């Protein structure tokens, strides 16, 4: 019977490889890899040779049903891997997993390292309740809107990913918006040049700015906003959703940004859908 193994892989240090990861890769007839070159290095570490097929962000939509079709036709066991960490967590993989469930193919997780959990474990923050937001918007205004939305959600601790070229700008925004918040910014977790910066946002910003190599590495950060006073609830919208969104567009938002702002303002999902459709038709005309 075909089976899909969802195989978490080391986020840096190959000593984090487990016997169960190796067993899953050995049992697989085919590896569905985010990047076959990266997974090849992992297989070489185990002295394994396996056929591979790429399954990444840009081809997964078409590739997932193809892989499942092969699994059913050839009775294949497939191991799904991403470049580092757990497939489907800000990495490709969820479409293949979903396709397997929908086709009746058993899915078995092979747990392992996760940058999210690793960052939380070293932060010292109370993470009994936390949220994960992946990568936030790049532009300053959408980023500020998203951060304000996160605060209104009321979750005390959240975790983010950020690129090395934007991490200073993100921390600067946090320091400006919430100078009291605590950060734990982790760079290249488990790797040779691992660095962890922890403290109030302005202090962490200064440490990052003092590092001449700050634009190298991979970043994961935990943010503790439990000390901030509760955010004020947004006022009940007085305009209909389409009018609210149009007012945002006139201020410079595009349609998606206006819809996101309307969602944060409390408009119901079905009303947002109708408003977005109405405005799309208006602009087309």
């Amino acid at each position: 019977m075909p089976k899909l193994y969802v195989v978490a892989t080391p986020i840096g240090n190959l000593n984090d490889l487990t016997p169960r990861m190796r067993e899953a890769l050995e049992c697989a007839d085919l590896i569905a890899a985010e990047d076959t070159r990266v997974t090849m290095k992992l297989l070489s570490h185990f002295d394994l040779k396996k056929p591979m097929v790429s399954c990444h962000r840009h081809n997964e939509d078409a590739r997932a049903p193809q892989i499942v079709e092969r699994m059913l036709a050839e009775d294949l066991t497939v191991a799904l891997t991403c470049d580092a960490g757990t497939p489907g967590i800000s990495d490709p993989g969820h479409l293949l997993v979903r396709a397997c469930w929908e086709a009746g193919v058993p899915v078995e997780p092979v747990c392992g390292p996760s940058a999210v959990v690793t960052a939380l474990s070293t932060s010292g923050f109370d993470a009994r309740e936390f949220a994960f937001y992946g990568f936030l918007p790049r532009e300053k205004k959408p980023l500020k809107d998203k951060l304000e939305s996160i605060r209104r959600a009321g979750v005390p601790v959240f975790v983010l990913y950020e690129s090395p070229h934007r991490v200073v700008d993100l921390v600067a925004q946090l320091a400006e918006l919430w100078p009291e918040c605590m950060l734990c910014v982790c760079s290249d977790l488990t790797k040779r040049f691992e660095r962890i910066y922890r403290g109030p946002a302005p202090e962490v910003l200064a440490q990052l700015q003092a590092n001449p190599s700050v634009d190298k590495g991979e970043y994961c950060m935990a943010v503790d906003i439990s000390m901030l006073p509760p955010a004020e609830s947004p006022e009940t919208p007085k305009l209909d959703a389409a009018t609210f969104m149009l007012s945002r567009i006139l201020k410079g938002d595009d349609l998606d940004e206006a819809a996101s702002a309307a969602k944060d303002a409390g408009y119901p999902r079905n009303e947002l859908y109708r408003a977005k459709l109405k405005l799309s038709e208006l602009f087309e005309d």
Side-chain angles (χ1 to χ4, degrees), residues 160-197:
L160 310 169
Y161 289 154
E162 190 50 282
S163 91
H165 305 292
R166 298 194 303 269
V167 67
V168 173
D169 289 340
L170 175 57
V171 173
Q173 182 87 325
L174 290 168
E176 179 182 347
L177 190 62
W178 305 323
E180 311 96 322
C181 78
M182 294 287 291
L183 304 182
C184 182
V185 178
C186 306
S187 172
D188 280 341
L189 282 167
T190 78
K191 297 179 182 177
R192 180 182 177 186
F193 297 107
E194 172 186 277
R195 296 198 67 168
I196 299 174
Y197 309 83

Side-chain angles (χ1 to χ4, degrees), residues 19-141:
R20 190 156 175 257
M21 289 177 196
R22 175 170 185 160
E23 181 182 359
L25 295 172
E26 286 178 336
C27 291
D29 302 304
L30 177 70
I31 310 291
E34 178 183 6
D35 188 327
T36 56
R37 295 166 298 182
V38 174
T39 300
M40 179 66 75
K41 295 178 183 177
L42 183 65
L43 294 175
S44 296
H45 183 82
F46 280 143
D47 197 25
L48 295 174
K49 292 183 179 180
K50 294 285 179 176
M52 289 189 285
V53 61
S54 66
C55 186
H56 50 69
R57 187 74 66 197
H58 304 293
N59 74 355
E60 187 182 5
D61 189 54
R63 186 60 54 84
Q66 296 170 359
I67 294 173
V68 173
E69 185 177 348
R70 279 192 63 187
M71 293 173 74
L72 293 170
E74 302 174 33
D75 193 24
L76 298 180
T77 294
V78 173
L80 170 64
T81 65
C82 59
D83 291 350
T86 304
I89 309 299
S90 271
D91 274 319
H94 78 278
L95 293 178
L96 177 56
V97 173
R98 179 191 299 168
C100 283
W101 282 118
E102 292 175 349
V105 174
V107 177
E108 184 173 323
V110 180
C111 63
S114 164
V116 174
V117 174
T118 304
L120 283 172
S121 72
T122 197
S123 70
F125 302 157
D126 184 350
R128 286 175 292 180
E129 182 181 1
F130 72 90
F132 172 59
Y133 289 96
F135 289 91
L136 295 186
R138 299 182 182 186
E139 294 75 20
K140 190 169 184 178
K141 185 178 180 302

